[in-house]
Each structure stands twice: as C-alpha cells, then as structure tokens.
Amino acid sequence: MDLLTLNLQKALEWTIQENGTDDIRSFDEALNAIALGDEGDEIALFWNWDSLIDASGDDGPHAMQTIPPPLRVAVSTTRPGARPATAIRLETGRYLFSQARKPAQETDGLTADTWLSMRLEWFAREAWWIQASGTGEMIVRLIHEDGKVAVQSIRAIADNNASD
C-alpha cells in the first residue's frame, strides 16, 4: 500500500439519495450494494475524521474500534433512469489517497468493518508519519471497475502554502 497525493483535475460528483440511500448504513452494506452494481457505478461514504480516528495519543493516531455509520452516503450510477437527488461534489484539488481491492467477505476472520478500520488506521498513521496534514471529512469511495470493486480512501490535504 502507498499513501499518494491525488491531484484531482476534474471534480467528482455523486447524488445523495433520499430515504437512507437505498438503506446503505454501513461500509459492509455499501460493499454488498456496489458488488451488485454495474461497471462504473460508485458509492461514496463520508465520515467526520474525528469519529474514525483518535489522534490524541503520543504514539500516533489510531482508528476507533467500531466504525460508526457514515454521515452521508452518495451514489453515482450508469443505469439509465436513476432517480434524481441532491448533488454532492468533491472539488478539484490535492488529496491524500490510497486504493485497495474489496476485501473477501469474512477473510481470515476479519469483517468488512474491521478491514476498513485497519485501512483507515494505516492511512492516518502514514499521513502522521510523513507529516501530511489532512483536513475535512474522510471519504471512502467504492467503484465497480474491471468487474471488481476498488476501495479508495480520500482526504483533502491542508494547504499551508496557498500562495505557492
């Protein structure tokens, strides 16, 4: 795994589905939904950073043991006739970024939420280690591509050199 800098040149847009985003209330439910989706479909889950990561320790940040429900869930679908809803955008800019393939369900005794918690802790600790300051929400983007599911972790980079 690598923690990368994503220079997003074109904004990403999803829609926030009304009525509970078709009942997606967790990472596990999002994984199940995207696995049934069409090529190019996406689900984005948004969390408050502090609800996922405890950065108060002297030995670096740690993920919370229990992943709370996301604050928002948004989708982008290639299906014709998808119902309209409120749009949400990830604007162009610089982001901390990592990507992995969807975990096998219950592989090695790990639930999907445990797998996500481990990935988020790695993400937070790697950013801490290289002193890359993030800001704003944590976004987990699930994309159905090449017949598989990619899981992306995305967080905006705090820009301390705005004049550069």
Side-chain angles (χ1 to χ4, degrees), residues 153-164:
S153 303
I154 304 169
R155 188 167 189 230
I157 294 175
D159 190 6
N160 295 324
N161 299 315
S163 61
D164 289 350

Side-chain angles (χ1 to χ4, degrees), residues 95-110:
Y95 295 87
L96 296 171
F97 172 88
S98 70
Q99 179 170 308
R101 285 288 176 201
K102 172 185 103 53
Q105 295 297 350
E106 305 290 332
T107 300
D108 299 326
L110 293 178

